[in-house]
Amino acid sequence: MSYDPNFPHASSEYAEEPTTEPTDPRDEDSAEEAQERLSQVHATAGGTSGAVHGWDPDRPLLEVTDLDITFTTSGGEVPAVRGANLTVYPGQTVAIVGESGSGKTTTAMSVAGLLASNGRVSGGSIVFQDEDVSKASGKRIRQLRGDEIGMVPQDPMSNLNPLWKIGFQIKESLTANKVAKGKAADKRVVELLEEAGLPDAARRAKQYPHEFSGGMRQRALIAMGLAARPSLLIADEPTSALDVTVQRQILDHLDVLTGQLGIAVLLITHDLGLAAERAQHLVVMYRGQVVESGPALEILQNPQHPYTQRLIAAAPSLSSQRMVSSLHNRDEEPAGGRQPARAGRTDDVIVAENLTRVFDIRGGAPWVKAAPFTAVDDVSFTLKRGTTLGIVGESGSGKSTVAQMVLGLLPPTSGRVLFEGQDIGEKSKQELFALRRLMQPVFQNPYGSIDPTYSIFRTIEEPLRLHGTRSRSEREIRVRELLDQVALPAATMQRYPNELSGGQRQRIAVARALALRPEVLVLDEAVSALDVLVQDQVLALLNDLQAELDLSYVFITHDLAVVRQIADRTMVMETGRVVEHGATEEVFRSPQQEYTRRLLDAIPGGSIPLAGSGR
Amino acid sequence: MAWYVLRRVLQMIPVFFGATFLVYFLVFSMPGDPIAALGGNKPLSPAVQDRLRAEYNLDEPFIVQYLLYLQGLAQGDFGTTFAGRPVIDDIRRAFPVTARLALVAIVFEAVFGIIAGVISGLRKGTWIDSTLLVTSILVIAVPTFVIGFVAQFVFGVKLGLVTINVGANVTWMNLLLPGMVLGAVSFAYVLRLTRTQITETMTADHVRTATAKGLSRPRVITVHILRNSLIPVVTFLGVDLGQLMGGAIVTEGIFNIPGLGFNLFDAIQRGESTKMVSMVTLLVIIFIISNLLIDLLYALLDPRIRYDARK
């Protein structure tokens, strides 16, 4: 299809409207507003969704049959997708759900002919509008891309060319698909950005990607994917790299846009809750095969395949309980009873008093004055022994800065941190070194926090060596014990990080943190980079370890759903300040602040009733 | 940007003093007596030698010599050669020659290196890629003087296409072959760097997104692959230009080109300390300035680079 200037799509009608001031400080537009704008536009357009594309709504737009995809690697032919089937009708949203490596992205990319150069369709067919695109010529596929099959990619950080202005990159899509060119295209770019919910679009179009936040970039990518009005939009994890609240706004917006324009969506996600909320039809993939497909609610409430059942059980967004370790009963066992008492042990392991951290930001030139920036503002909390404190907030809320101050890695501007009643700010270097033994961090990225050139043994024994376990045999015994604690075989010792999966690496990171028998673990987004099933396993492991070793956790995350599973108390942070602080159940049952409510609402799939969950 | 430029300019001060001091010291410690050697087979009388030493401050202790030299520099005096010519005159004559030679070399390595690198990168694994890679390894492995003599022999002596001895006759035409010899090794590096960058960019997410928009293959290559790939190549070329400006002792020697390298070599052989120190200092300054310009150019090419980024 082409852009007809007489056909009032979501176009200039609302461009002249006075722009409503966004309420959100991060320039994010609310979904209701977008809905309102679009329905106005739609009313003027007077069309129905099916009419936009002129494809019979009862015939499948896309029909994938017995699809096999093979990759040629140095180790030979590797099948990535085996016998996959799926159907998308015009205007319908279909979600492919699965963990990383399940073949969901590969399947979707093959539809647009975008497989990596070593991949090929080795069997089956991909029929798009009565035409098998798997056998189409390169020229034909280029014709289809953009104006028939659009794409919104996964990672907004890496999917825009950093060297070209946003407007230029969207305009390319218009000119390449002969929708508009020259001045008209420039004007259209601004309209498209506005339509995607980007305020101040005319100015924004002239900026570079690095001047955009993640959410804004994703909106630009949506504008790009929809620019030539495709009939099918492939959305590959379009929001998994974003904060939950932004995630919700963008998905809502995408829903509204594709709904109004009658665009079918093939949504790829690892989050079952999100898929169920957004799609009418689900396709569950596991190790290259479709294991289950059907109407979303039906699958969620009555999953047939064991993998789907596991996926549902693990989805943090769908469960509501604090995990209880099988190892002990939290109510009966008094905290601190198992470990031999160490001198100076107190029930309040960590007390933070009025922590504030101000950073000086240098001006653009020697004569411009430095501007102070308050990253953390008057934060106080108490961590009781054997419990977990969850610190929740979006990126930039100051939660990681709090973690650094607690660990004694960053001195607070004012306020203090007491570890078992002693101010860590007053400790000497040696005392701090000894203290670090008792307080260990685990970081988000298991790929970045483990040295790839160290064997697993060396990674775990390093802290032991540093803190004076002299004999190698003693260290080896301890490493074996630790691997056993994190449920990895002792043979893992000889292996290297690149041979392990993300979940295994995170277990190694936990083992290393536990090596010195600490009392406190500071877990900074420790499970955020993991797939749901693996995330669930690591959370269960952390929970068991807590019960077994009487550990106290400071658990930092942007994901409220995870906090509900692991934290006893929850502290919600926004722009450096604590906006809510209380027992986790209370925070979830009756959030006092608007901000917390917004975070809670943003959990995908939170409102979907599950069979047997009692909600 | 202002912060950055200021910092870089201030950094030049210690580099300047460090470089002049070091070079002066090395020249001072060189064995042999340049004044005694002036007369060759017929030694100068001790009285003349003493007068010359006094004239060139060679009878002073090292640190006094150095300070006197700096004092001269501050007044714009680069010193005098033993033959009585101001050093600045020699530099004025040699510098344009070297600049021309460097320009020929840089254009050669940029144009051919990038073209070959792009072809190689886009056709990774084909016979043309392998041929270009083998050629580049060969060029890197063979020393410049071998390439120089072979080129001179084949194109000059055998085929008679170029002048063997450039001498005072410094035309662009005559500098063509020397320039190519001088740029040969860098040509190979540019080829390899471009190839690596292209293959890396080709698999970038944003290139896939560009393809998904429905862009034609040539457009994806020129707009989304080439520009991104060439940024590090431009940086390399910039650093190389700084180096080439410093003259090429070997190449200028082979083809008898009276550039900076040639003059410097001559000065070293004669033990002319003032000339040596002045020329080396000039080269250091050229190198520092060209490096600063490259870094600023880098910021122009890549909008993400802001030297005073707000953290």
Side-chain angles (χ1 to χ4, degrees):
Chain A
M1 62 166 286
S2 65
Y3 174 58
D4 176 4
N6 297 320
F7 180 68
H9 276 300
S11 67
S12 48
E13 273 88 348
Y14 67 88
E16 272 105 46
E17 270 182 24
T19 16
T20 358
E21 272 307 307
T23 43
D24 190 298
R26 276 162 306 97
D27 282 7
E28 297 296 355
D29 190 359
S30 78
E32 293 85 59
E33 230 169 87
Q35 169 82 61
E36 199 176 302
R37 283 177 181 180
L38 269 163
S39 38
Q40 284 171 6
V41 174
H42 198 246
T44 13
T48 61
S49 11
V52 176
H53 288 285
W55 184 258
D56 185 349
D58 298 326
R59 284 168 63 205
L61 182 70
L62 172 71
E63 203 162 15
V64 173
T65 319
D66 300 329
L67 181 68
D68 291 329
I69 295 174
T70 315
F71 283 92
T72 314
T73 65
S74 49
E77 303 259 292
V78 180
V81 175
R82 285 171 294 166
N85 289 291
L86 68 93
T87 309
V88 182
Y89 286 92
Q92 192 189 24
T93 297
V94 174
I96 309 182
V97 189
E99 58 195 12
S100 35
S102 63
K104 57 187 194 300
T105 300
T106 308
T107 304
M109 287 304 143
S110 68
V111 173
L114 289 172
L115 289 176
S117 56
N118 62 338
R120 65 191 166 86
V121 174
S122 48
S125 63
I126 305 167
V127 176
F128 178 78
Q129 294 185 348
D130 288 345
E131 185 182 353
D132 189 350
V133 291
S134 69
K135 294 181 180 63
S137 67
K139 194 176 160 224
R140 178 68 193 133
I141 287 187
R142 267 193 291 283
Q143 280 171 359
L144 290 175
R145 283 181 198 144
D147 49 1
E148 284 297 344
I149 303 172
M151 186 175 90
V152 176
Q154 173 169 16
D155 181 2
M157 293 303 166
S158 67
N159 274 291
L160 286 162
N161 189 332
L163 304 185
W164 296 104
K165 290 176 179 162
I166 297 286
F168 175 90
Q169 298 190 45
I170 297 173
K171 190 178 166 185
E172 268 191 319
S173 180
L174 295 172
T175 41
N177 295 299
K178 301 190 178 60
V179 177
K181 55 183 178 185
K183 282 255 158 60
D186 288 329
K187 191 163 160 269
R188 184 81 187 116
V189 165
V190 176
E191 287 166 12
L192 284 164
L193 281 172
E194 274 173 358
E195 176 190 281
L198 197 71
D200 202 6
R203 187 172 64 85
R204 289 290 181 190
K206 294 194 189 79
Q207 287 185 324
Y208 288 99
H210 70 269
E211 296 169 84
F212 277 41
S213 70
M216 286 156 68
R217 287 184 203 210
Q218 198 61 54
R219 285 176 192 271
L221 284 165
I222 287 173
M224 200 183 281
L226 294 174
R229 297 293 183 239
S231 1
L232 174 69
L233 187 73
I234 298 170
D236 183 7
E237 304 259 15
T239 56
S240 58
L242 306 172
D243 277 341
V244 268
T245 46
V246 183
Q247 205 174 71
R248 160 139 250 147
Q249 286 164 13
I250 287 190
L251 286 173
D252 283 350
H253 203 102
L254 192 63
D255 269 0
V256 170
L257 277 177
T258 51
Q260 297 288 354
L261 299 167
I263 296 173
V265 179
L266 188 58
L267 177 70
I268 299 152
T269 179
H270 68 275
D271 189 335
L272 199 62
L274 186 143
E277 198 173 70
R278 302 287 165 182
Q280 292 101 42
H281 197 90
L282 292 191
V283 176
V284 182
M285 284 189 79
Y286 179 58
R287 296 193 176 165
Q289 284 175 313
V290 173
V291 294
E292 191 159 0
S293 76
L297 264 181
E298 207 169 284
I299 288 196
L300 215 54
Q301 289 173 345
N302 190 18
Q304 299 298 315
H305 195 273
Y307 176 74
T308 320
Q309 289 162 0
R310 267 168 61 210
L311 214 53
I312 291 173
S317 51
L318 299 170
S319 70
S320 62
Q321 298 296 314
R322 168 75 159 93
M323 279 185 176
V324 178
S325 171
S326 51
L327 295 173
H328 80 142
N329 185 327
R330 302 188 68 81
D331 297 328
E332 285 170 15
E333 191 97 33
R338 270 165 310 285
Q339 268 194 352
R342 195 172 47 77
R345 273 169 68 100
T346 51
D347 205 26
D348 294 345
V349 194
I350 291 178
V351 179
E353 290 176 352
N354 310 95
L355 282 180
T356 299
R357 175 69 207 193
V358 180
F359 290 103
D360 275 338
I361 298 189
R362 197 170 61 178
W367 51 88
V368 178
K369 235 186 103 191
F373 168 73
T374 310
V376 173
D377 192 0
D378 195 18
V379 170
S380 304
F381 61 82
T382 302
L383 177 65
K384 295 259 185 221
R385 186 171 300 281
T387 68
T388 302
L389 171 73
I391 304 183
V392 196
E394 295 173 89
S395 17
S397 60
K399 54 192 194 302
S400 288
T401 313
V402 169
Q404 287 191 34
M405 289 193 282
V406 168
L407 286 165
L409 296 172
L410 186 76
T413 309
S414 67
R416 55 184 194 151
V417 178
L418 304 175
F419 182 81
E420 296 187 335
Q422 298 174 47
D423 187 347
I424 65 166
E426 287 170 0
K427 299 264 175 186
S428 68
K429 264 207 167 127
Q430 284 85 358
E431 285 173 319
L432 208 58
F433 182 71
L435 194 84
R436 293 241 156 89
R437 217 175 58 74
L438 302 173
M439 230 177 356
Q440 288 285 312
V442 177
F443 294 108
Q444 170 169 16
N445 187 345
Y447 294 86
S449 59
I450 297 178
D451 190 327
T453 63
Y454 278 26
S455 70
I456 299 306
F457 173 74
R458 211 173 146 201
T459 300
I460 302 178
E461 64 124 31
E462 193 183 25
L464 294 169
R465 210 149 29 90
L466 278 176
H467 284 266
T469 309
R470 290 262 153 67
S471 87
R472 190 187 151 98
S473 60
E474 251 175 76
R475 292 200 300 264
E476 200 173 314
I477 291 167
R478 179 73 181 133
V479 171
R480 272 175 202 283
E481 200 178 296
L482 286 162
L483 283 172
D484 187 49
Q485 272 177 345
V486 296
L488 285 175
T492 317
M493 264 200 273
Q494 275 91 46
R495 305 180 72 182
Y496 281 83
N498 64 340
E499 302 166 36
L500 304 180
S501 72
Q504 286 173 324
R505 287 182 209 212
Q506 203 59 305
R507 283 167 194 268
I508 299 296
V510 171
R512 178 177 55 183
L514 291 177
L516 299 166
R517 304 181 202 279
E519 315 246 308
V520 178
L521 285 192
V522 177
L523 302 136
D524 192 352
E525 301 273 14
V527 297
S528 306
L530 307 174
D531 272 342
V532 271
L533 282 178
V534 185
Q535 188 176 35
D536 193 51
Q537 289 163 7
V538 174
L539 283 176
L541 170 74
L542 287 172
N543 210 40
D544 288 347
L545 287 171
Q546 179 165 52
E548 198 182 319
L549 306 172
D550 198 23
L551 294 166
S552 317
Y553 294 152
V554 175
F555 195 96
I556 294 165
T557 181
H558 68 278
D559 193 344
L560 269 172
V562 170
V563 162
R564 180 155 48 173
Q565 284 178 284
I566 189 105
D568 300 292
R569 291 182 72 78
T570 297
M571 186 166 99
V572 182
M573 287 187 70
E574 184 189 15
T575 58
R577 274 188 300 274
V578 176
V579 291
E580 190 140 359
H581 187 178
T584 303
E585 267 317 299
E586 238 164 79
V587 171
F588 276 79
R589 208 177 318 115
S590 52
Q592 299 302 307
Q593 298 293 321
E594 170 60 30
Y595 181 73
T596 316
R597 254 183 299 240
R598 258 197 14 240
L599 280 178
L600 282 173
D601 286 343
I603 300 175
S607 57
I608 298 174
L610 284 179
S613 77
R615 276 200 290 150
Chain B
M1 193 70 100
W3 268 111
Y4 185 74
V5 175
L6 184 74
R7 207 170 64 229
R8 289 290 295 260
V9 170
L10 288 179
Q11 274 171 6
M12 284 164 72
I13 296 169
V15 172
F16 171 79
F17 285 108
T20 48
F21 184 83
L22 205 67
V23 176
Y24 214 98
F25 178 73
L26 288 174
V27 171
F28 180 83
S29 333
M30 256 166 47
D33 184 347
I35 298 293
L38 270 182
N41 285 338
K42 228 175 82 187
L44 302 171
S45 72
V48 175
Q49 285 197 20
D50 284 348
R51 216 194 61 227
L52 279 171
R53 283 207 181 88
E55 195 183 324
Y56 292 99
N57 303 321
L58 293 177
D59 50 352
E60 304 283 354
F62 165 70
I63 195 73
V64 177
Q65 282 190 40
Y66 176 66
L67 290 175
L68 283 170
Y69 171 72
L70 283 187
Q71 190 190 10
L73 270 191
Q75 292 158 357
D77 178 8
F78 280 79
T80 319
T81 63
F82 288 148
R85 274 195 319 273
V87 171
I88 189 77
D89 283 3
D90 280 1
I91 292 176
R92 270 207 198 106
R93 226 170 305 127
F95 186 70
V97 176
T98 292
R100 247 186 228 198
L101 183 63
L103 204 67
V104 173
I106 206 91
V107 168
F108 164 73
E109 66 187 55
V111 172
F112 290 91
I114 289 174
I115 291 176
V118 169
I119 293 173
S120 202
L122 290 177
R123 303 188 187 282
K124 196 179 165 189
T126 60
W127 65 269
I128 191 163
D129 175 36
S130 314
T131 314
L132 285 169
L133 274 185
V134 171
T135 313
S136 70
I137 292 170
L138 214 65
V139 171
I140 292 170
V142 178
T144 307
F145 72 86
V146 175
I147 299 176
F149 281 127
V150 170
Q152 191 179 39
F153 182 72
V154 174
F155 296 102
V157 180
K158 285 285 170 195
L159 300 174
L161 292 175
V162 293
T163 323
I164 303 165
N165 187 336
V166 177
N169 198 8
V170 192
T171 59
W172 288 107
M173 221 23 230
N174 284 343
L175 288 179
L176 209 57
L177 188 67
M180 281 161 72
V181 169
L182 183 59
V185 173
S186 296
F187 154 77
Y189 281 123
V190 170
L191 189 161
R192 298 179 75 89
L193 184 61
T194 310
R195 178 181 181 271
T196 316
Q197 289 297 322
I198 294 265
T199 47
E200 210 177 286
T201 315
M202 266 170 44
T203 58
D205 282 352
H206 67 79
V207 170
R208 194 185 64 182
T209 305
T211 311
K213 281 192 278 192
L215 303 187
S216 66
R217 184 84 185 136
R219 182 159 178 110
V220 172
I221 291 171
T222 50
V223 177
H224 291 279
I225 296 179
L226 263 187
R227 185 174 173 197
N228 298 55
S229 305
L230 289 184
I231 290 177
V233 180
V234 169
T235 315
F236 173 82
L237 287 173
V239 175
D240 206 41
L241 184 67
Q243 253 157 14
L244 291 174
M245 281 293 182
I249 293 184
V250 174
T251 312
E252 289 183 2
I254 294 172
F255 293 94
N256 192 27
I257 302 165
L260 285 178
F262 194 80
N263 267 273
L264 189 59
F265 186 61
D266 188 55
I268 292 169
Q269 281 185 322
R270 286 170 197 268
E272 297 217 43
S273 50
T274 37
K275 189 169 169 181
M276 259 187 275
V277 178
S278 296
M279 291 188 104
V280 172
T281 307
L282 181 76
L283 299 185
V284 169
I285 290 175
I286 290 178
F287 194 76
I288 296 175
I289 292 177
S290 65
N291 264 307
L292 174 61
L293 290 178
I294 296 151
D295 285 352
L296 296 181
L297 178 72
Y298 199 56
L300 271 182
L301 285 174
D302 190 340
R304 284 166 299 179
I305 308 270
R306 288 290 170 269
Y307 288 113
D308 304 307
R310 283 155 197 276
K311 288 195 187 110

